[in-house]
Amino acid sequence: MTDAMTHRGPNDAGYEVFEQEHAMIGLGQRRLSILDLSASGHQPMHFDAYTIIFNGEIYNFREIRAELELLGYTFQSDGDTEVLLKGYAAWQENILDKCIGMFAFVIYDRKKNEVVLFRDRAGVKPLYYYWHQQQLFFSSELKGLMAHTAFPKVIDPNSLSLFLQYSYIPGPYTIFRHTRKLSPGHLLRVSLQRREVEEAGYWNVLKSYQQEVTKLTETEVIDHTRSLLHSAYNYRMVADVPVGVFLSGGYDSSSVAAILQSDSSSKIKTFTIGYKEAAWDESAEARKIAGFLGTDHHEWIVGPEEARGVLEHLPEIYDEPFADNSTVPTTLVSQFAAKEVKVVLSADGGDELFAGYNKFNQSIRYTSSMPQMVQRSISGVMSLVSPELIPYFNKQYNFSSRYEKMKLIWASGKPQQALKYISQYLTEAEVSQYTGLAKSSYKTNFDLNGELGNIADPLNRLLAVDYKTFLVDNNLVKVDRATMSVSIEGREPMLDHRLVEFLAQVPTSLKTKGGVNKYILKEIVHKYIPRELMERPKRPFIAPLQEWFRDELKEQMRYYLTGERLARSGFFQVKEVEKLLEHYLAGGKVSHQKLWNMLVFQLWYSRWIEKL
């Protein structure tokens, strides 16, 4: 199981088996040496009645260590694993309240005769577990579970339906039955004597949004946010190896580069991927910002030939079906950065914390522009009319999907339901059309209802939902797997819980002001980078797949979506998918993401289930 994840830790490996009255326990760990590169950081690590295996970083471990030393604890290593282990011995689960960091770790507690699994507040570090018939397997990636001969690789059709809708599988579900993602901010307690497991939360972003709105003035909010950013960003520079920053040229990554460079006497390393297709390329903007800041900048201009090389490896990197449209550039920029650094800072979370996505504005606008009674009436009429029969509009890009979504949005009248439908690439009806699968019976964090009741502001509700869905199960998965696939550590400075908790209490009138999204962050960035260098239309960090799949990558699309291979995987309505593919390749106004989701599943199925 550990050997299946050598890429996550090529520097050291350790595993031990403990046989006791109620259970057989195996603990294994692969180490990527970032802090204390010596052998004293070897795991599993033991102290008193406790054993730990740990993936991640506790950035403030030196402050916690100082507290423990005052209590009489001594240390043999210079890293954070021993601090976490002895902190658990001192304070048990309350150690989590002291930790600033990202982590997935497991404690074997001989005193309580239990094993406890922990995952960090934001879910930066992954943790999967399988529990069935009194067997528990856990791992940072599914490939660790799949390496065990007793793990049954049985596809969960409910999860497959969710994947086709969203292009990722929202937690806590996974592609396999009896297998879950441990939710962010949660622990899993395993009683060895009773042979029972219990999942419990220790931190929830919703509680931060339910607090009273801060009384600070706009200037005070901006100043305090800026101070938190400096602290969060600099904490994530703590390492005994070279560190760099992904720089796309947008406000999020530019804030990281600007603040870190302002605090550093040496040039920080920045990395950018650009495209040969000018319409998708932002490398020139990133280059200008790097030049202004004076970073040690590196850029790589890529095309479909580089994408083709990555495509066949995606199922190995993302061992669960995962079809985010920026997996290719994220993997490429990780490969590029790995030549220079062992740690890289990304800037995920900026859109959730500072309200950057237009989908938030759309969700509120679509459900508030008309009285709910009118919305429901229009939705009812739409149910009687097929979008294919509406002249002119039926020729527009992806019209039938957008029609179905608006029908559902107006029927619900709720911004959070609008966000759910906007986030889908295939509607539930389309999943049934192309697969024959029944509607997924699983509720996700998109379906939060009563839990949002104490969050008065509609925009804050949407930010909280997106934090618990798209951020954790899409963006963080993307960066973690891409960076770890080339044995570098990705860090997420914007997800420092102190920053998250403060911004949750900031009124939305400051998050979007005067029609400007991300108002607070933009005001801060403009203190470091001239406004004219930053202000331009927002472009997502995605690859030009829509162009490539109609040209250079067309044969790979055809190969995996032929009738024979679709039939062999057994989940698709062959004729419906073939018709969609031919319409797309003929230049039809079809969302390429629908086919990309299907292609990614086929690639994954061929790698992990049966060769196609």
Side-chain angles (χ1 to χ4, degrees), residues 160 164 434-436 566-567 569-574 577 598 601-602:
L160 175 56
L164 292 171
Y434 293 118
T435 66
L566 288 167
S569 62
F571 289 99
F572 293 102
Q573 302 281 45
V574 172
V577 175
M598 297 176 195
F601 176 78
Q602 291 287 93

Side-chain angles (χ1 to χ4, degrees), residues 62-74:
R62 291 191 176 94
E63 293 97 309
I64 299 172
R65 174 172 170 156
E67 279 192 65
L68 289 166
E69 287 174 333
L70 291 175
L71 295 176
Y73 288 88
T74 59

Side-chain angles (χ1 to χ4, degrees), residues 248-251 254 282 285-286 289 533-539:
S248 68
Y251 275 94
S254 294
E282 283 193 292
E285 288 86 351
I289 290 166
L533 273 184
M534 294 302 307
E535 289 194 337
R536 59 185 183 278
K538 179 181 176 68
R539 280 197 284 185

